[in-house]
């Protein structure tokens, strides 16, 4: 889907500053708590890492940018909890007002869920099935598959010019452009299906090098950009 999260390759954001060598993991204590709450919210709501990324890319511009990196995490966590029928829409604001002494009642939690979530992953579903336990504890995203890679190192490939309606890790700025396969990475879970609980669909991942002039025209500075792309994102060039 097209959203504020797909910022790569766009202009108008100012210079990118490298982090300080002594930069802490969390600059302020609330950021560490936000990270922990988001991890917990992902599990409680029955989501996975790709569904979390999809929640972030569906935030509006203010929710994505105005409160910083970990504020974005909290906004995505709230969205996942609402869609997982753990929180009601507006419940966080109601609780905050109640803590300020306004005596606001919490809105009721809707039993409907706006996105596809396995029934056994929902908070009120009772003991999880063996399948859902395995899904929650899967060893990361890397997988071993029998299929041979469709593309070879040194091969010229093109990123498909597509606009998936749901989650995707295909950056907009490389779509329709050609590059060279530099490395074939281990196979991994395909985020476009995994985020929507449509299966892992593991496949090979390729590090593809793009020339800056291919991406941004002859007026661009001369450099190259390497992007890791799933096999489904690529096609051969003539």
């Amino acid at each position: 889907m097209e959203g504020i999260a797909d910022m790569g390759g766009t202009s108008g954001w100012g210079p990118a500053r490298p982090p300080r060598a002594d930069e802490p993991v969390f600059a302020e204590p609330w950021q560490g708590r936000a990270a922990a709450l988001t991890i917990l919210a992902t599990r409680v709501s029955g989501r996975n890492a790709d569904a979390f990324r999809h929640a972030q890319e569906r935030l509006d511009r203010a929710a994505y940018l105005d409160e910083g990196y970990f504020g974005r995490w909290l906004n995505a966590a709230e969205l996942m909890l609402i869609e997982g029928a753990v929180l009601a829409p507006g419940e966080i604001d109601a609780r905050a007002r109640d803590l300020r002494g306004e005596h606001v009642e919490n809105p009721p939690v809707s039993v409907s869920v706006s996105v596809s979530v396995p029934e056994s992953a929902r908070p009120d579903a009772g003991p999880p099935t063996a399948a859902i336990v395995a899904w929650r504890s899967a060893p990361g995203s890397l997988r071993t598959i029998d299929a041979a890679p469709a593309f070879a190192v040194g091969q010229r490939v093109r990123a498909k010019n597509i606009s998936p309606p749901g989650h995707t890790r295909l950056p907009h700025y490389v779509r329709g452009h050609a590059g060279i396969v530099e490395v074939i990475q281990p196979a991994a879970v395909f985020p476009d299906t995994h985020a929507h609980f449509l299966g892992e669909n593991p496949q090979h991942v390729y590090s593809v090098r793009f020339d800056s002039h291919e991406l941004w025209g002859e007026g661009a500075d001369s450099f190259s950009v390497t992007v890791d792309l799933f096999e489904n994102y690529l096609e051969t060039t003539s």
Side-chain angles (χ1 to χ4, degrees):
M1 64 174 292
E2 314 296 341
I4 185 61
D6 194 2
M7 300 166 63
T10 61
S11 60
W13 302 104
R17 297 180 176 84
R20 306 193 320 267
D22 60 345
E23 181 176 300
V25 176
F26 302 112
E28 300 178 18
W30 74 268
Q31 296 175 344
R33 293 193 290 272
L37 285 170
T38 300
I39 293 171
L40 179 61
T42 303
R43 295 191 177 189
V44 168
S45 62
R47 298 311 198 266
N48 55 52
D50 293 311
F52 166 57
R53 294 189 183 101
H54 186 44
Q56 291 188 79
E57 68 188 3
R58 287 182 290 129
L59 298 173
D60 61 30
R61 183 185 179 93
Y64 192 85
L65 294 176
D66 291 357
E67 296 168 335
Y69 184 78
F70 288 104
R72 181 184 314 151
W73 276 40
L74 284 178
N75 290 329
E78 181 180 358
L79 178 58
M80 290 190 295
L81 290 171
I82 291 171
E83 293 180 337
V86 179
L87 290 177
E91 186 170 352
I92 295 294
D93 291 337
R95 291 188 184 189
R97 292 174 60 191
D98 189 59
L99 289 172
R100 291 196 296 265
E102 297 182 32
H103 306 294
V104 177
E105 292 187 5
N106 288 338
V109 176
S110 173
V111 296
S112 63
V113 180
S114 61
V115 295
S116 176
V117 182
E119 289 290 340
S120 54
R122 297 179 186 172
D124 58 352
T129 64
I132 208 66
V133 169
W135 164 68
R136 286 176 174 170
S137 60
S141 61
L142 299 183
R143 297 291 184 271
T144 299
I145 61 176
D146 295 329
F151 308 103
V153 171
Q155 183 175 353
R156 185 174 173 83
V157 295
R158 187 181 307 278
K160 294 179 180 177
N161 190 11
I162 56 176
S163 296
H167 179 59
T168 187
R169 304 293 286 172
L170 175 60
H172 188 274
Y173 71 96
V174 304
R175 298 176 192 176
H177 294 288
I180 304 296
V181 175
E182 289 199 321
V183 179
I184 301 176
Q185 303 287 359
V189 172
F190 188 47
D192 298 42
T193 55
H194 194 228
H196 301 283
F197 303 96
L198 299 175
E200 290 192 343
N201 191 21
Q203 54 191 260
H204 295 288
V205 179
Y206 304 83
S207 295
V208 181
R209 176 173 49 82
F210 295 89
D211 184 85
S212 59
H213 303 294
E214 166 71 15
L215 297 176
W216 294 291
E218 292 304 317
D221 293 337
S222 296
F223 60 93
S224 62
V225 177
T226 301
V227 184
D228 288 344
L229 298 171
F230 285 83
E231 193 165 274
N232 275 20
Y233 297 159
L234 298 171
E235 59 189 6
T236 57
T237 61
S238 57

